[in-house]
Amino acid sequence: MPQDTAYHGALGVAFAAHSATGAYNAYIDRPAMLELAGDVAGQRLLDVGCGAGHYAAALLERGAEVVGIDGSAELLAAAKEQVGDRAELRLHDLERPLDFAPDASFDLALSALVVHHLRDRPGLLGEVFRVLRPGGRFLVSTTHPAADWKHFGGSYFADDWVDLHVGAGLPPIHFQRNTVEGFIGELLEAGFVLERLTEPRPVPALEAVDAEAFAKLNARPSFLAVALRRP
């Protein structure tokens, strides 16, 4: 039986708390993805794997209309606490089609640190392509393949499923390793056009909070983030 894509139970609760202020989420990935998003005022946005709602909350503040989906009831509850009724939040298994959304019904889709958890990435990427309007943007971040290689060892070109242990008493985070070539190739095969690729580093605000983490995370890669467009 394959492990579930979403963070359920204690893992969902722990991640909701950690993602608010953790160095990787709050000081690397989130600032990078919001910088890629830019001006979203008046746009209809799909947050794919919205987690605890941090991205949704920030994009609502910028004037977007947000629909957030996640397979974890615990994370959606945390998102609800953040955004209330300002966003439409849906419990949705990301391994399933986006059957709630008509074709070309969104201006922008965002998926932060989600795609490496998916068993059927081509299926979800095809669905995002379908629900974006022509010219719509898709922002995606993932773990950096070089960071995974350094942590797990073996071949850089490995595509095995691995478990990242995040705390005593918690189930591990389960995801599939990839390469830069593989990550970008899957997005291009889905029909998207690559506009920008970044290797985010921590924002300066982290130095005041944790100078040691700031120095360490400026010396090695953590994530890849890309901006794409549907032709």
Side-chain angles (χ1 to χ4, degrees), residues 109 115 118 120-134 136 138 140 181-194 226 228-231:
V115 295
L118 293 166
D120 183 15
R121 284 195 295 273
L124 180 67
L125 295 178
E127 280 292 275
V128 172
F129 189 93
R130 177 184 67 79
V131 303
L132 279 175
R133 64 169 178 79
F138 186 26
V140 187
E181 178 184 50
F183 171 61
I184 297 299
E186 290 174 348
L187 295 165
L188 298 181
E189 286 173 14
F192 294 102
V193 175
L194 178 65
V226 295
L228 308 126
R229 190 172 296 275
R230 178 192 165 172

Side-chain angles (χ1 to χ4, degrees), residues 69-72 76 90-94 96-100:
I69 60 173
D70 203 284
S72 167
L76 278 183
R90 288 178 167 268
L91 185 65
H92 185 86
D93 182 354
L94 300 184
R96 305 291 299 170
L98 306 179
D99 49 10
F100 61 88

Side-chain angles (χ1 to χ4, degrees), residues 147-160:
D148 293 338
W149 182 32
K150 182 177 178 63
H151 182 84
F152 293 104
S155 170
Y156 168 81
F157 298 100
D159 61 357
D160 53 320

Side-chain angles (χ1 to χ4, degrees), residues 143-152 156 178-180 199 221-222 224:
T143 59
H144 199 296
D148 293 338
W149 182 32
K150 182 177 178 63
H151 182 84
F152 293 104
Y156 168 81
N178 206 343
T179 61
V180 175
E199 296 173 294
S222 300
L224 289 177

Side-chain angles (χ1 to χ4, degrees), residues 58-76:
L59 294 162
L60 284 165
E61 292 298 320
R62 296 185 180 194
E65 174 190 346
V66 177
V67 177
I69 60 173
D70 203 284
S72 167
E74 290 79 11
L75 286 172
L76 278 183

